[in-house]
Amino acid sequence: MEKPTQPVPKNKKSRNPAVTFVLVCLTLTACAFAGFWGMLFIVFTGRAEIAVPALLIFLLAVPFLLFSRFKKTSAWIMAAALLTGGGHYGFYAVKMYRTHSVPQMSGNIDLNDYEPFSNHNLLATLDQPATLQIPLGQRPRLDGAIALYPLYAAFVQAAYPPPEDEYKMEYSPHSSDVVAMNNTPEAYRRLIEGKTDIIFVTNPSDEQVKAAAAVGKTFTLTPIGKEAFVFFVHRNNPVNNLTTEQVVKIYSGSLKNWRDVGGKDEPIRAFQRNENSGSQSTLQKIMGNTPLMSPPREDRLASMGGIVNVVADYRNYENALGFSFRYYTQTMLKNNQIKLLDINGIAPTRENIANDSYPYTRRFYAVTTGSESPAAKQFIEWIQSPQGQELVEKTGYVGLGK
């Protein structure tokens, strides 16, 4: 007797390898896309606490969805691809956050807020009309550091004639030939080349002095006010004070851990600026004869500011040490995530700047090359007069007589 024929079980439909390959490629593309945008979010906002958890959720959610829909083997392949690709980009994003883009003090500065003669600008004004009024055809050409732009723009608004036509943008910080705003290295370069008449900056670097001498020029530095060169840390850093000796040791590379100055057991990440910038040149003068260490490339930040929207130094990172000038950090950027350090127990207050007790009190200057016009000489003399010094004080700096 023949056994009854058993029905042949139908084979489960197997997935085409080509389809699996396409799905894997699409998954990798999704991870790359998510990781790339996560990296950009971290770099430009510094908010790793938001971006990293979002990436992790993405990495966990997609495999779950894959398990619920595809064959187990295919799901494992795609989950592995997702974790590998997404994990790589997520790790790269965190690495970018921790090494390339931090710490920076970020903030946007709209220079239009300080444009002379513009409506509702933020410039300091005099109580009385300026005693100096420069004729239209005799206006000295000006340039300078971003931190000093609000000051020399106030000088212009007080002593220069109003623009003939508001649409010509005669005093625009972006396009003016009369009142330019570049940065310290560019201002010195333009002064040497004769493209501007007076620049408002800190002391020149040795390299800038040599560049002027090479074309037969020397700088004439006329002091017009005082300011504090400051060091700062993240507000959560327990260190509140450094000595001048400790500053030199840190930036020479011989003092490397915050615990050695009363902080946490963490390496000090001492950031620097680009060569010939005003703040970097000031740091070099502070170091004296002690060689300044060469920082890693990612620890040397290119600029304290730009022409339109500035993303400046030192995003908030708890083991970082940065430097700049008091007015820039406290008035122009107003970043509440940093704190200024005392030096030798002395805070960089206006009072301590005025009496020169703060160790890093520095003068800033109206700099020429000694061949200025009569109008330029009158302008500089007026800046040193009581009215010019009134604008120095009202802007937020410390006048020479204080």
Side-chain angles (χ1 to χ4, degrees):
M1 183 175 180
E2 295 183 2
K3 293 183 180 181
T5 304
Q6 298 293 328
V8 178
K10 294 182 179 180
N11 291 329
K12 292 183 180 179
K13 187 177 180 181
S14 59
R15 186 170 295 280
N16 191 315
V19 174
T20 301
F21 175 77
V22 171
L23 289 174
V24 170
C25 291
L26 290 175
T27 302
L28 282 173
T29 302
C31 327
F33 183 81
F36 174 75
W37 286 104
M39 178 187 70
L40 290 183
F41 182 86
I42 291 174
V43 168
F44 288 104
T45 69
R47 301 300 301 275
E49 69 274 17
I50 294 176
V52 172
L55 285 173
L56 291 176
I57 291 172
F58 177 81
L59 295 177
L60 293 174
V62 175
F64 176 79
L65 294 175
L66 291 174
F67 272 111
S68 65
R69 186 168 182 180
F70 299 117
K71 266 182 77 172
K72 190 173 182 179
T73 303
S74 298
W76 273 114
I77 293 173
M78 284 183 282
L82 182 65
L83 290 171
T84 302
H88 167 75
Y89 280 97
F91 172 78
Y92 183 69
V94 175
K95 183 178 179 181
M96 284 287 293
Y97 172 70
R98 295 183 64 86
T99 61
H100 291 279
S101 299
V102 295
Q104 297 178 17
M105 183 178 63
S106 61
N108 291 325
I109 299 173
D110 188 351
L111 295 180
N112 292 315
D113 290 339
Y114 303 100
E115 181 180 343
F117 302 105
S118 63
N119 294 329
H120 311 296
N121 64 36
L122 303 178
L123 298 178
T125 58
L126 295 169
D127 296 331
Q128 302 293 331
T131 56
L132 174 68
Q133 294 297 320
I134 298 177
L136 184 65
Q138 300 179 26
R139 297 173 299 181
R141 298 167 299 171
L142 311 179
D143 202 344
I146 185 173
L148 290 170
Y149 178 67
L151 179 57
Y152 66 86
F155 295 153
V156 166
Q157 185 167 270
Y160 279 37
E164 291 183 299
D165 184 343
E166 61 178 332
Y167 298 107
K168 288 184 179 179
M169 302 182 72
E170 291 182 53
Y171 297 117
S172 168
H174 314 305
S175 60
S176 175
D177 292 329
V178 180
V179 188
M181 204 311 296
N182 289 290
N183 53 39
T184 298
E186 180 68 8
Y188 270 111
R189 185 189 66 78
R190 296 183 74 239
L191 181 64
I192 292 170
E193 294 177 356
K195 295 179 179 179
T196 191
D197 301 310
I198 306 172
I199 62 173
F200 296 86
V201 286
T202 56
N203 299 74
S205 67
D206 293 340
E207 184 177 331
Q208 287 159 341
V209 171
K210 292 177 182 177
V215 293
K217 295 182 179 181
T218 57
F219 296 129
T220 300
L221 279 64
T222 303
I224 62 173
K226 296 193 290 186
E227 172 63 317
F229 183 71
V230 296
F231 292 87
F232 54 84
V233 295
H234 189 277
R235 66 178 182 179
N236 293 336
N237 191 320
V239 173
N240 295 309
N241 177 76
L242 290 174
T243 66
T244 53
E245 181 183 7
Q246 288 169 341
V247 168
V248 172
K249 286 185 176 180
I250 289 171
Y251 278 94
S252 68
S254 62
L255 199 163
K256 300 180 179 180
N257 197 295
W258 282 111
R259 70 183 172 212
D260 297 326
V261 292
K264 298 178 182 179
D265 184 9
E266 292 183 347
I268 299 174
R269 192 165 182 186
F271 279 66
Q272 295 186 42
R273 290 286 316 284
N274 55 313
E275 290 294 332
N276 298 318
S277 67
S279 53
Q280 185 73 8
S281 297
T282 301
L283 176 65
Q284 290 168 340
K285 293 183 185 301
I286 285 173
M287 297 296 291
N289 295 324
T290 303
L292 185 64
M293 68 176 176
S294 297
R297 180 177 58 83
E298 64 269 19
D299 287 2
R300 186 186 292 278
L301 301 179
S303 67
M304 188 173 75
I307 293 178
V308 183
N309 294 314
V310 180
V311 178
D313 310 323
Y314 316 116
R315 192 180 304 277
N316 308 307
Y317 194 54
E318 293 191 16
N319 73 336
L321 175 65
F323 55 80
S324 187
F325 290 95
R326 177 192 60 92
Y327 176 82
Y328 185 81
T329 63
Q330 302 299 288
T331 303
M332 295 185 78
L333 281 181
K334 300 178 181 178
N335 189 303
N336 61 5
Q337 298 299 309
I338 63 168
K339 64 178 177 181
L340 306 187
L341 296 178
D342 296 351
I343 301 296
N344 295 342
I346 302 172
T349 62
R350 289 175 63 90
E351 179 182 1
N352 292 335
I353 297 169
N355 61 28
D356 290 320
S357 61
Y358 178 71
Y360 298 140
T361 297
R362 293 292 183 267
R363 281 158 177 74
F364 52 90
Y365 304 92
V367 181
T368 62
T369 54
S371 58
E372 58 271 20
S373 66
K377 291 179 180 178
Q378 290 178 344
F379 187 53
I380 293 174
E381 289 173 359
W382 175 79
I383 291 172
Q384 290 188 306
S385 75
Q387 280 195 332
Q389 292 299 292
E390 178 184 339
L391 288 177
V392 171
E393 290 283 332
K394 285 185 173 180
T395 298
Y397 288 100
V398 177
L400 296 173
K402 295 287 186 173

